[in-house]
Amino acid sequence: MKHPLQNKWALWFFKNDRQKKWEDNLRLVTKFDTVEDFWALYNHIQLSSKLQSGCDYNLFKDGIQPMWEDKANKKGGKWMLQMNKQQRVNELDKIWLEILLCLIGEGFGEDSDYVNGGVVQVRHKGDKAAIWTSDYKNRDGILNIGHIFRSRLALPKKIILGFQAHEDTMSKSGSTVKNMWTV
Ligand code: M7G
């Protein structure tokens, strides 16, 4: 028997095609709910560091679309780690794998229910990785998720992790979005 995960997860792939609307560039790859199927998928797909710039992987709980508009994300936000260009070579793939394992292993303890998914974004100006949560009003839960995220990634003290509400991200085009919280 395969080893069941607590949740069923869906992997999505985003490939930037400027001719198309944002949501039309988002594709569901597959869903899985066992440890074995996770590793089969992981070993089959490209590492993040090998993706073209402009591509994203999204791993979300089944039933939640990886977009602000989904009802589970609407009042939520993300803990986002901004990387520098050098980190693609040595760190990006490790960071994304750690995020995947945090997600499927329910690594956020009692606050795992507030975790909707995770995102990795490959960009020329520096890659990004994030944990998306629901309900930014749940301050204690969100902060706890942020602390666990930092410690699982073993981030050095000088790196500040910020949480941004999707509502704020949506209303600011391009310019820096203010952090609702930092850890
Ligand atoms: P990004 O991919 O998060 O960052 O957002 P980037 O600037 O590093 O590429 C880029 C753009 O994609 C946003 O300004 C939006 O136009 C669009 N976009 C991103 N997300 C996550 C969403 C979303 O959830 N819904 C919609 N409608 N557009 C989005």
Side-chain angles (χ1 to χ4, degrees):
M1 239 244 318
K2 291 182 187 175
H3 298 79
L5 298 171
Q6 198 153 315
N7 277 291
K8 182 182 251 190
W9 296 87
L11 181 76
W12 301 74
F13 181 63
F14 179 92
K15 189 166 193 281
N16 197 8
D17 175 347
R18 286 174 202 285
Q19 313 294 327
K20 293 193 199 158
K21 283 198 299 193
W22 180 84
E23 57 268 34
D24 295 337
N25 287 324
L26 196 57
R27 287 287 146 83
L28 175 66
V29 179
T30 190
K31 297 180 183 184
F32 59 87
D33 60 4
T34 69
V35 175
E36 289 79 0
D37 290 346
F38 164 71
W39 286 113
L41 172 64
Y42 183 80
N43 290 326
H44 178 74
I45 60 177
Q46 290 268 22
L47 290 169
S48 307
S49 60
K50 298 283 184 291
L51 297 176
Q52 278 176 29
S53 226
C55 291
D56 307 342
Y57 280 133
N58 302 265
L59 189 77
F60 274 72
K61 286 178 179 164
D62 185 25
I64 304 178
Q65 293 201 299
M67 48 179 79
W68 311 320
E69 292 84 353
D70 191 283
K71 72 175 192 312
N73 295 322
K74 240 187 165 95
K75 294 284 168 199
K78 62 176 191 286
W79 283 109
M80 207 218 356
L81 177 67
Q82 173 70 58
M83 289 172 251
N84 61 41
K85 290 183 182 186
Q86 289 74 42
Q87 287 175 290
R88 186 171 306 164
V89 183
N90 288 319
E91 292 176 55
L92 177 66
D93 296 327
K94 286 186 208 159
I95 287 171
W96 178 234
L97 178 57
E98 194 59 30
I99 290 174
L100 292 172
L101 296 176
C102 284
L103 293 171
I104 67 169
E106 308 292 328
F108 300 95
E110 62 191 22
D111 292 309
S112 289
D113 285 352
Y114 291 99
V115 171
N116 291 342
V119 181
V120 64
Q121 301 185 288
V122 181
R123 298 289 185 272
H124 284 305
K125 59 184 186 234
D127 306 328
K128 297 178 276 186
I131 298 280
W132 282 36
T133 76
S134 60
D135 196 5
Y136 58 69
K137 295 217 171 92
N138 172 20
R139 181 178 177 276
D140 293 349
I142 302 295
L143 284 174
N144 188 41
I145 291 165
H147 285 297
I148 294 173
F149 187 30
R150 279 205 72 94
S151 81
R152 288 283 299 253
L153 297 184
L155 296 180
K157 282 211 176 68
K158 64 173 195 281
I159 304 288
I160 293 167
L161 254 194
F163 181 90
Q164 297 111 34
H166 297 315
E167 282 174 358
D168 294 337
T169 308
M170 249 185 262
S171 59
K172 300 242 167 57
S173 57
S175 61
T176 12
V177 180
K178 71 171 194 305
N179 290 325
M180 192 168 255
W181 289 300
T182 56
V183 291

